[in-house]
Coordinates of all heavy atoms in Angstrom, one line a residue:
L648 N -22.8 19.9 9.4 CA -22.5 20.8 10.5 C -23.4 20.5 11.7 O -24.5 19.9 11.5 CB -22.6 22.2 10.0 CG -21.4 22.8 9.1 CD1 -21.4 22.1 7.8 CD2 -21.6 24.3 9.0
P663 N -18.9 9.4 12.7 CA -19.9 9.0 11.7 C -19.7 7.5 11.3 O -18.6 7.0 11.2 CB -19.5 9.9 10.5 CG -18.1 10.1 10.7 CD -17.9 10.2 12.1
T664 N -20.8 6.8 10.9 CA -20.8 5.6 10.2 C -21.7 5.7 9.0 O -22.7 6.3 9.1 CB -21.2 4.4 11.1 OG1 -21.0 3.1 10.4 CG2 -22.6 4.5 11.6
H673 N -26.6 6.7 3.9 CA -27.2 6.7 5.2 C -26.1 6.9 6.2 O -25.1 6.1 6.2 CB -27.9 5.4 5.5 CG -29.0 5.1 4.5 ND1 -30.3 5.3 4.8 CD2 -29.0 4.5 3.3 CE1 -31.1 4.9 3.8 NE2 -30.3 4.4 2.8
F675 N -25.2 7.6 10.3 CA -25.5 7.7 11.7 C -24.3 8.3 12.4 O -23.2 8.1 12.1 CB -25.8 6.3 12.3 CG -26.9 5.6 11.6 CD1 -26.7 4.9 10.4 CD2 -28.2 5.6 12.2 CE1 -27.8 4.2 9.8 CE2 -29.2 4.9 11.5 CZ -29.0 4.3 10.3
A681 N -25.0 20.6 25.1 CA -24.1 21.1 26.2 C -23.7 20.0 27.2 O -22.7 20.1 27.9 CB -24.7 22.3 26.9
K683 N -25.0 16.2 26.8 CA -25.2 14.7 26.5 C -24.7 14.3 25.1 O -24.6 15.1 24.2 CB -26.7 14.4 26.6 CG -27.3 14.6 28.0 CD -28.8 14.2 28.0 CE -29.4 14.4 29.4 NZ -30.8 14.1 29.4
D701 N -32.6 16.2 6.5 CA -33.4 16.3 7.7 C -32.7 15.5 8.8 O -32.2 14.4 8.5 CB -34.8 15.7 7.5 CG -35.6 16.5 6.6 OD1 -35.4 17.7 6.5 OD2 -36.6 15.9 5.9
Y713 N -26.5 7.6 28.0 CA -26.0 8.2 26.7 C -25.9 7.0 25.7 O -26.0 5.8 26.0 CB -24.6 8.8 26.9 CG -23.5 7.7 27.0 CD1 -22.6 7.5 25.9 CD2 -23.3 7.0 28.1 CE1 -21.6 6.6 26.0 CE2 -22.3 6.0 28.3 CZ -21.4 5.8 27.2 OH -20.4 4.9 27.3
F714 N -25.8 7.4 24.4 CA -25.7 6.4 23.3 C -25.0 7.1 22.2 O -25.5 8.1 21.7 CB -27.0 5.7 22.9 CG -28.2 6.6 22.8 CD1 -28.6 7.0 21.6 CD2 -28.9 7.0 23.9 CE1 -29.7 7.9 21.4 CE2 -30.0 7.8 23.8 CZ -30.4 8.2 22.5
S724 N -27.2 -13.0 7.0 CA -27.9 -14.3 7.3 C -29.4 -13.9 7.7 O -30.3 -14.8 7.6 CB -27.2 -15.1 8.3 OG -27.1 -14.4 9.6
K725 N -29.6 -12.8 8.3 CA -30.9 -12.4 8.8 C -31.6 -11.3 8.0 O -32.7 -10.9 8.3 CB -30.8 -12.0 10.3 CG -30.3 -13.1 11.2 CD -30.3 -12.6 12.6 CE -29.8 -13.7 13.6 NZ -29.8 -13.3 15.0
K726 N -30.8 -10.7 7.1 CA -31.3 -9.5 6.3 C -31.8 -8.4 7.3 O -32.9 -7.8 7.1 CB -32.4 -9.9 5.4 CG -32.0 -10.9 4.3 CD -30.9 -10.3 3.4 CE -30.5 -11.2 2.3 NZ -29.3 -10.7 1.5
W752 N -35.7 1.5 14.9 CA -34.7 0.8 15.6 C -35.2 0.3 17.0 O -35.9 1.0 17.7 CB -33.4 1.6 15.8 CG -32.7 1.9 14.5 CD1 -32.9 3.0 13.7 CD2 -31.8 1.0 13.9 NE1 -32.1 2.8 12.6 CE2 -31.4 1.7 12.7 CE3 -31.2 -0.2 14.2 CZ2 -30.5 1.1 11.8 CZ3 -30.3 -0.7 13.3 CH2 -29.9 -0.1 12.1
A757 N -27.7 -5.0 25.7 CA -26.3 -5.2 26.0 C -25.7 -6.5 25.3 O -26.4 -7.5 25.2 CB -26.1 -5.4 27.5
W767 N -16.4 -2.0 17.0 CA -16.5 -2.2 15.6 C -16.5 -3.7 15.3 O -15.6 -4.4 15.7 CB -15.3 -1.6 14.9 CG -15.3 -1.8 13.4 CD1 -14.7 -2.9 12.7 CD2 -15.8 -0.9 12.4 NE1 -14.9 -2.7 11.4 CE2 -15.6 -1.5 11.2 CE3 -16.5 0.3 12.5 CZ2 -16.0 -0.9 10.0 CZ3 -16.9 0.9 11.3 CH2 -16.7 0.3 10.1
A781 N -9.7 -0.2 24.6 CA -9.7 -0.6 26.0 C -9.8 0.7 26.9 O -9.3 1.7 26.6 CB -8.5 -1.4 26.4
V806 N -8.6 -10.3 23.8 CA -7.2 -10.4 23.5 C -6.7 -9.0 23.0 O -7.5 -8.3 22.4 CB -6.8 -11.5 22.5 CG1 -7.2 -12.8 23.1 CG2 -7.6 -11.2 21.2
F838 N -4.8 9.5 11.9 CA -5.1 8.0 11.8 C -3.8 7.2 11.5 O -3.0 7.5 10.6 CB -6.0 7.8 10.6 CG -7.4 8.3 10.7 CD1 -8.1 8.7 9.6 CD2 -8.0 8.5 12.0 CE1 -9.4 9.2 9.8 CE2 -9.2 8.9 12.1 CZ -10.0 9.3 11.0
E868 N -12.4 25.7 1.9 CA -12.3 26.4 3.2 C -11.3 25.7 4.1 O -11.1 24.5 4.0 CB -13.7 26.4 3.8 CG -14.3 25.0 4.1 CD -15.6 25.0 4.9 OE1 -15.9 26.0 5.5 OE2 -16.3 24.0 4.8
Y916 N -17.0 19.8 16.6 CA -16.7 19.0 15.5 C -17.7 19.1 14.4 O -18.9 19.1 14.7 CB -16.5 17.5 15.9 CG -15.2 17.2 16.5 CD1 -15.1 16.9 17.9 CD2 -14.0 17.2 15.8 CE1 -13.9 16.6 18.5 CE2 -12.8 16.9 16.4 CZ -12.7 16.6 17.8 OH -11.6 16.3 18.4

Side-chain angles (χ1 to χ4, degrees):
L648 285 66
T664 185
H673 301 261
F675 299 83
K683 295 180 180 179
D701 292 336
Y713 76 107
F714 43 99
S724 60
K725 297 181 180 180
K726 298 299 182 184
W752 291 93
W767 179 272
V806 295
F838 293 152
E868 62 174 338
Y916 282 110

